């Protein structure tokens, strides 16, 4: 079987959808383009727009965050609107719409994962990051612009909203705040300790690397990964999965990809992953190593690898 055939069977994607993706996927698609392509998938060929749904779909179209170019009477617009309404947790009136939404949502997680795998195969970094993010946005029903803490089950809506209003404080800075800072931030002092615990349970890795050119065209990378979060099997299960992605200087092309499995038994240890990556010619100023969680939005570590002082073997 071909690589695409393997992806199709792993994610139960129809032949018509795979050929649609093969033809229309582009390395730098934005979310508008990705959702339009998604809504044309063969999986949704049976979905139609009923006369009595048009008004509700038009209203929903004004409430979803990513613009839908087609008219709400088009089936592809309906699918796009329903997926966004699902992620946004919007309430629907019509019973038929609710069952269509359930079908769209169940297919969405599979389809986004399949397009993620296709992007990895093609070495397209930005589309891989976008589709992995969408797979998780569907799984958690949250948008990337919302608080990362919404991925935990016990954060009250009112607290999550207050965190989102404090957009001046970057997510990376939350780890430096004390429980009382966090309680004050959301105006609910007694939530401080809970928030502090969740911030520190959020999967985070510290990266370091030792690089050495083996030949003029091959670089050996020894990547050190130190878990910097409190591992709790009730929250994280027994294993956390991360994608190690080496990107070129523009962040466009994937030069290397592999999985890193962090087991609960190794949550206190430093881990080392060794791999080789091609050195491009002419020599670029740097590469970037990204380690992205497979299941958590916003859990991502980046390490630049500079070639400025690197001396290649003769």
């Amino acid at each position: 079987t071909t690589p695409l055939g393997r992806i199709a069977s792993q994610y139960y994607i129809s032949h018509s959808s795979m050929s649609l993706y093969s033809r229309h996927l582009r390395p730098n698609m934005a979310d508008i383009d990705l959702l339009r392509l998604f809504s044309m998938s063969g999986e949704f060929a049976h979905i139609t727009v009923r006369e009595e749904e048009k008004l509700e779909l038009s209203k929903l179209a004004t409430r979803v965050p990513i613009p839908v170019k087609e008219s709400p009477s088009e089936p592809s617009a309906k699918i796009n609107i329903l997926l966004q309404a699902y992620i946004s947790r919007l309430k629907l009136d019509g019973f038929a719409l609710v069952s269509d939404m359930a079908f769209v949502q169940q297919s969405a997680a599979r389809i986004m994962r399949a397009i993620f795998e296709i992007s990895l195969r093609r070495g397209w970094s930005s589309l891989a990051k976008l589709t992995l993010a969408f797979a998780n946005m569907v799984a958690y029903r949250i948008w990337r612009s919302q608080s990362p803490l919404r991925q935990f089950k016990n954060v009250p809506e009112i607290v999550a909203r207050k965190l989102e209003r404090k957009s001046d404080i970057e997510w990376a800075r939350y780890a430096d705040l004390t429980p009382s800072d966090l309680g004050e931030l959301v105006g609910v002092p007694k939530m401080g300790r809970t928030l502090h615990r969740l911030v520190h349970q959020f999967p985070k890795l510290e990266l370091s690397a030792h690089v050495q050119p083996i030949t003029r065209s091959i670089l050996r990378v020894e990547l050190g990964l130190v878990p910097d979060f409190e591992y709790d099997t009730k929250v994280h299960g027994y294993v956390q999965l991360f994608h190690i992605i080496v990107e070129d200087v523009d962040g466009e092309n994937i030069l290397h990809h592999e999985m890193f499995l962090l087991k609960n038994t190794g949550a206190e240890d430093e881990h080392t992953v060794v791999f080789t990556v091609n050195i491009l010619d002419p020599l670029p100023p740097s590469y970037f190593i990204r380690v992205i969680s497979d299941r958590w939005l916003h859990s991502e570590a980046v390490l630049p690898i500079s070639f400025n002082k690197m001396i290649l073997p003769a």
Side-chain angles (χ1 to χ4, degrees):
T1 58
T2 63
L4 286 183
R6 277 199 298 276
I7 294 170
S9 61
Q10 186 183 349
Y11 294 100
Y12 305 105
I13 305 293
S14 67
H15 184 73
S16 65
S17 292
M18 285 309 270
S19 78
L20 175 82
Y21 307 150
S22 286
R23 288 197 310 278
H24 294 287
L25 283 173
R26 295 288 175 270
N28 289 319
M29 288 178 106
D31 34 21
I32 294 190
D33 316 311
L34 178 63
L35 289 185
R36 281 182 78 184
L37 184 61
F38 163 83
S39 59
M40 288 153 62
S41 301
E43 279 64 16
F44 307 126
H46 67 282
I47 289 187
T48 55
V49 179
R50 305 170 191 86
E51 197 54 47
E52 66 273 18
E53 293 171 347
K54 288 181 180 172
L55 181 63
E56 189 177 356
L57 284 169
S58 301
K59 283 186 194 155
L60 288 169
T62 64
R63 296 180 61 200
V64 297
I66 297 166
V68 178
K69 292 180 181 160
E70 293 75 17
S71 135
S73 53
E74 294 279 327
S76 70
K78 171 177 169 175
I79 292 151
N80 190 338
I81 291 165
L82 287 180
L83 177 64
Q84 294 193 56
Y86 176 78
I87 298 174
S88 300
R89 302 175 187 235
L90 300 181
K91 294 273 180 286
L92 305 185
D93 297 332
F95 175 73
L97 266 188
V98 172
S99 70
D100 283 340
M101 179 172 142
F103 179 75
V104 169
Q105 161 256 319
Q106 285 158 6
S107 310
R110 290 203 324 273
I111 290 173
M112 289 301 178
R113 286 266 164 193
I115 300 178
F116 170 62
E117 296 280 348
I118 296 170
S119 318
L120 288 176
R121 281 269 146 66
R122 293 191 174 177
W124 292 347
S125 191
S126 100
L127 187 61
K129 289 179 286 201
L130 183 64
T131 45
L132 181 60
F134 261 105
N136 285 320
M137 288 190 267
V138 172
Y140 287 106
R141 301 186 74 177
I142 64 172
W143 292 100
R144 259 191 307 196
S145 55
Q146 292 179 288
S147 170
L149 292 180
R150 283 184 184 266
Q151 294 170 95
F152 292 101
K153 298 202 173 36
N154 49 354
V155 175
E157 177 68 21
I158 181 167
V159 171
R161 287 213 172 140
K162 286 195 166 155
L163 288 168
E164 281 148 11
R165 285 196 205 107
K166 309 282 183 192
S167 55
D168 52 327
I169 298 182
E170 281 179 30
W171 169 239
R173 285 182 49 210
Y174 275 63
D176 304 328
L177 300 177
T178 64
S180 61
D181 291 338
L182 285 160
E184 211 171 294
L185 189 68
V186 295
V188 187
K190 64 175 192 291
M191 274 300 291
R193 286 174 70 171
T194 303
L195 289 174
H196 188 262
R197 189 182 77 246
L198 300 181
V199 166
H200 290 275
Q201 284 180 343
F202 195 84
K204 186 173 162 214
L205 299 173
E206 293 289 334
L207 308 181
S208 60
H210 180 68
V211 297
Q212 187 183 2
I214 303 175
T215 66
R216 289 191 74 77
S217 58
I218 295 179
L219 185 68
R220 179 182 186 273
V221 180
E222 197 174 298
L223 179 64
L225 307 108
V226 179
D228 185 21
F229 66 101
E230 285 156 30
Y231 202 113
D232 179 347
T233 49
K234 289 200 269 308
V235 175
H236 306 104
Y238 291 98
V239 67
Q240 283 287 305
L241 205 55
F242 294 87
H243 297 274
I244 299 174
I245 291 177
V246 183
E247 298 175 339
D248 63 4
V249 68
D250 303 320
E252 302 255 314
N253 297 305
I254 298 173
L255 307 172
H256 178 80
H257 167 260
E258 69 177 82
M259 305 296 296
F260 168 62
L261 291 159
L262 176 67
K263 300 190 174 107
N264 65 312
T265 49
E268 305 284 317
D269 311 329
E270 175 165 5
H271 301 265
T272 307
V273 177
V274 178
F275 53 85
T276 58
V277 57
N278 291 339
I279 298 174
L280 300 174
D281 184 28
L283 190 66
S286 58
Y287 284 170
F288 292 95
I289 300 177
R290 263 176 217 282
V291 182
I292 306 174
S293 166
D294 186 60
R295 298 278 166 192
W296 292 76
L297 283 166
H298 298 285
S299 169
E300 183 174 326
V302 187
L303 183 69
I305 298 292
S306 170
F307 289 130
N308 286 345
K309 300 197 172 63
M310 192 173 291
I311 298 164
L312 298 182

